[in-house]
Amino acid sequence: MKTIIDNWQWIIGVVAPVLTFFTGYKFRKADLKKSEADALSNVQSVYDTLTSQIKEDVNHLRSDLKEVKIENRDQRKSLMLLQEDNRKLHREISKLMSENSQLKEELANLRNENEKLRERLKNQ
């Protein structure tokens, strides 16, 4: 015991840094765990925010897609009506062109006949 009392400064000088090291280690370890927990919490918060934004964007895109599909369907209906009208107009044009050709031919025949009649009238 006398040895401990005589060397108490030396013993405290050796034991104190050892105790400080282990106590500091526990505090550092606790701080590290707290930092990791905070980082994980921050990551979770960012993930939740991104997830909600992505859900919102996806819902918006789905809504836009529905509108585009409806517009597309309406445009296809309009296009089919225009195509039918176009076919009818082509048939009418073909008919009118045929009539025009017949009338031109008839006009040419009438002009020839008119010329022949004029010639006959001049000759009489």
Side-chain angles (χ1 to χ4, degrees):
M1 177 88 161
K2 185 175 178 187
T3 310
I4 294 175
I5 293 175
D6 290 339
N7 296 319
W8 70 272
Q9 291 177 339
W10 184 82
I11 294 172
I12 290 178
V14 171
V15 172
V18 171
L19 288 175
T20 304
F21 174 78
F22 285 113
T23 307
Y25 176 76
K26 287 183 181 183
F27 282 125
R28 284 192 304 273
K29 191 173 180 181
D31 284 344
L32 180 62
K33 284 185 179 183
K34 184 178 182 234
S35 296
E36 288 174 352
D38 288 346
L40 188 58
S41 175
N42 288 340
V43 168
Q44 184 64 43
S45 174
V46 168
Y47 175 78
D48 291 342
T49 302
L50 287 175
T51 302
S52 67
Q53 287 176 351
I54 288 171
K55 283 181 182 178
E56 187 177 312
D57 290 347
V58 166
N59 289 335
H60 183 70
L61 288 173
R62 284 181 179 156
S63 173
D64 287 350
L65 182 61
K66 284 179 184 178
E67 290 175 16
V68 167
K69 283 182 176 182
I70 290 169
E71 184 179 338
N72 188 333
R73 190 177 318 121
D74 292 343
Q75 286 179 349
R76 278 190 271 152
K77 287 178 183 177
S78 296
L79 180 63
M80 289 190 308
L81 291 173
L82 286 173
Q83 286 174 336
E84 183 59 34
D85 286 346
N86 191 18
R87 281 188 221 105
K88 287 178 184 177
L89 288 173
H90 275 290
R91 286 192 293 268
E92 285 182 39
I93 288 172
S94 294
K95 182 180 173 185
L96 289 173
M97 288 178 75
S98 176
E99 259 182 61
N100 188 26
S101 294
Q102 289 173 355
L103 288 173
K104 281 182 180 180
E105 191 177 313
E106 205 175 304
L107 178 65
N109 288 339
L110 289 174
R111 281 185 178 159
N112 284 339
E113 193 177 322
N114 190 19
E115 284 297 319
K116 288 178 185 177
L117 287 175
R118 282 186 185 192
E119 288 291 322
R120 234 196 286 160
L121 278 175
K122 278 186 187 179
N123 290 341
Q124 283 182 358

